[in-house]
């Protein structure tokens, strides 16, 4: 049984930082590209960042570039999202997801497995 469990969310002031973690089990983690997505109230779930199975390459949405860093530790079956210079518009539930495909994909329906999400709230 595949499980993705996010942690690290919380309440932070604008300009602050948070580090999200996603621990994976039940799958061969090192074979999966991993992604982070977010969903704000009343909005569609959107892509944030993804990292290749090897950890050598990443790709981020424009909204995340220069502020968010995705990384992974295949020895710990964990993917991270370091979020800096947070803004109120970053407030959302953040989800990690796994994709077995070879290339990078940003579509929600391309990902095979999902976590339950962790709430991030940025106050102004």
């Amino acid at each position: 049984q595949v499980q993705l469990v996010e942690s690290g969310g919380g309440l932070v002031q604008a300009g602050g930082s948070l580090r999200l973690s996603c621990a994976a089990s039940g799958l061969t983690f090192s074979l999966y590209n991993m992604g982070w997505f977010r969903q704000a109230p009343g909005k569609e779930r959107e892509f944030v960042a993804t990292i290749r199975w090897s950890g050598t390459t990443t790709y981020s949405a424009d909204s995340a570039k220069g502020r968010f860093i995705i990384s992974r530790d295949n020895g710990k079956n964990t993917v991270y999202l370091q979020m800096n210079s947070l803004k109120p518009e970053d407030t959302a539930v953040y989800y990690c997801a796994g994709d077995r495909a070879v290339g990078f994909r940003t579509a929600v329906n391309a990902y095979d497995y999902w976590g339950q999400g962790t709430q991030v709230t940025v106050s102004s």
Side-chain angles (χ1 to χ4, degrees), residues 19-33:
R19 188 194 195 201
L20 306 183
S21 300
C22 171
S25 61
L27 76 169
T28 306
F29 183 73
S30 59
L31 296 181
Y32 282 76
N33 296 337

Side-chain angles (χ1 to χ4, degrees), residues 57-108:
T57 311
T58 65
Y59 177 75
S60 301
D62 287 345
S63 60
K65 287 177 181 175
R67 299 189 301 129
F68 295 0
I69 301 170
I70 187 171
S71 62
R72 67 189 295 161
D73 185 337
N74 285 350
K76 294 182 178 180
N77 285 6
T78 302
V79 61
Y80 305 97
L81 186 68
Q82 177 67 43
M83 304 188 295
N84 302 317
S85 302
L86 283 161
K87 305 174 183 179
E89 51 263 44
D90 294 318
T91 294
V93 177
Y94 283 71
Y95 299 88
C96 71
D99 179 16
R100 185 64 179 87
V102 174
F104 279 150
R105 299 197 289 184
T106 63
V108 170

